[in-house]
Amino acid sequence: MTLTTLKGALLGMTILGLATPALADQLADIKAAGKIVTATDMHYAPFDMLNNGTYEGMTKDLFDEVSKELGVEPVYQDIPWPAELPGLEVGKFDIIIAPVTVTPERIERYAFGLPIADATVGLVRAVSSDAVQKPEDIAGKTVGVQQGTAQFKQLEAYGASLGEVSIKEYGTTDEAYADLAAGRLDAVAGSSPNLAYLVKNRPETFVQTDPATFGEPKYFAWAMQKDEDSASLVEAVNAAILKMHDDGRMAAIQEKWLGVAPDLPREVPTE
């Protein structure tokens, strides 16, 4: 190789090196922008709700604190649940803060933060009807559930084990509760915290079954993209949640909205 050829090769390598993009870091980008863009369904009390047009709920209180730890402002978006996971995959927002049930299938595709609440599935019925007293009583009955949720899949599997259960899907839990109150459903399936909150606030209309839940214990968590670029964000969110556990903020917010502060794993579930 001549000296001229060697100089040309080195120059080419330098140019290629300069042209190589730096490794993307989602957390660094978020901090540079000064904001973190979220997605949630604001029709999922007590986690997310609109009160005279104002967003409030346990999720907002928790994520307000996480945003402070990250040093950025949260941008809250009201997105229908069926559009949230697909939207996350194409980068329409940084994080889904709607409570997402952690399942083995979702763990394969998304990165989860530490659990923020219990998500075990349960049932609620109308006070005016005693046809469904316990979970197995839904055999041969019509049960409402929010579409696209892990609770739907758990209800479907449980219904199959009982025999024939007619499942009606709804865009929001509020729609399902309305039909239950009107006598168009025998029961509604959902996560235990949501149903407990419903019964607490509308005891004259709704009551939980006894026992209140069925199936395996599940947890709610926030979902982020599962790639190398997002690893720093996942780590920072989890560090903030652990800090809130240790300084009492997590328990205080849970007691405010759920009435209790349940023990939650300090590690991300693996199944």
Side-chain angles (χ1 to χ4, degrees):
M1 179 181 290
T2 66
L3 181 59
T4 301
T5 304
L6 178 59
K7 288 181 177 179
L10 291 173
L11 178 60
M13 291 173 65
T14 301
I15 293 173
L16 287 173
L18 291 174
T20 301
L23 181 65
D25 185 320
Q26 188 180 14
L27 180 61
D29 292 343
I30 288 170
K31 290 192 173 186
K35 62 182 181 181
I36 182 167
V37 181
T38 76
T40 192
D41 182 345
M42 298 180 185
H43 306 275
Y44 204 62
F47 296 97
D48 305 272
M49 65 196 87
L50 289 172
N51 185 3
N52 295 321
T54 299
Y55 174 45
E56 62 180 33
M58 190 176 108
T59 296
K60 182 180 184 300
D61 284 0
L62 288 174
F63 202 74
D64 277 350
E65 295 301 316
V66 169
S67 298
K68 290 176 186 177
E69 295 297 329
L70 299 182
V72 297
E73 290 295 321
V75 177
Y76 294 116
Q77 298 186 114
D78 187 9
I79 307 292
W81 165 246
E84 290 185 22
L85 291 173
L88 177 67
E89 292 186 14
V90 297
K92 288 189 174 181
F93 25 80
D94 299 310
I95 183 172
I96 295 175
I97 59 169
V100 183
T101 305
V102 182
T103 67
E105 297 80 13
R106 288 173 177 167
I107 289 172
E108 292 296 318
R109 300 184 65 173
Y110 310 105
F112 282 97
L114 292 169
I116 61 165
D118 177 35
T120 306
V121 67
L123 292 164
V124 65
R125 64 175 175 85
V127 170
S128 59
S129 172
D130 59 3
V132 177
Q133 294 285 333
K134 54 188 182 298
E136 53 264 40
D137 289 343
I138 63 173
K141 304 293 193 303
T142 301
V143 182
V145 68
Q146 187 176 16
Q147 65 184 11
T149 61
Q151 285 71 38
F152 166 75
K153 290 188 175 181
Q154 293 173 78
L155 173 63
E156 189 176 44
Y158 184 63
S161 72
L162 296 175
E164 184 177 350
V165 175
S166 177
I167 300 175
K168 187 174 181 180
E169 298 178 71
Y170 291 84
T172 69
T173 53
D174 289 343
E175 295 169 339
Y177 300 151
D179 268 6
L180 180 60
R184 290 186 284 269
L185 295 171
D186 296 300
V188 168
S191 72
S192 56
N194 299 85
L195 299 184
Y197 182 84
L198 173 71
V199 171
K200 175 185 175 182
N201 286 276
R202 300 178 65 183
E204 75 288 348
T205 307
F206 302 108
V207 62
Q208 290 179 278
T209 58
D210 185 16
T213 62
F214 61 88
E216 296 295 320
K218 298 290 182 182
Y219 294 100
F220 279 136
W222 297 328
M224 291 157 277
Q225 290 182 323
K226 189 174 185 177
D227 54 38
E228 191 172 352
D229 299 347
S230 303
S232 58
L233 175 61
V234 177
E235 182 178 353
V237 168
N238 284 338
I241 292 175
L242 283 175
K243 185 176 180 179
M244 291 167 64
H245 273 293
D246 293 337
D247 64 22
R249 280 178 291 170
M250 175 68 76
I253 291 171
Q254 288 182 328
E255 288 174 356
K256 172 185 174 181
W257 291 102
L258 304 178
V260 295
D263 290 331
L264 295 173
R266 293 173 63 94
E267 296 182 353
V268 178
T270 58
E271 60 181 15

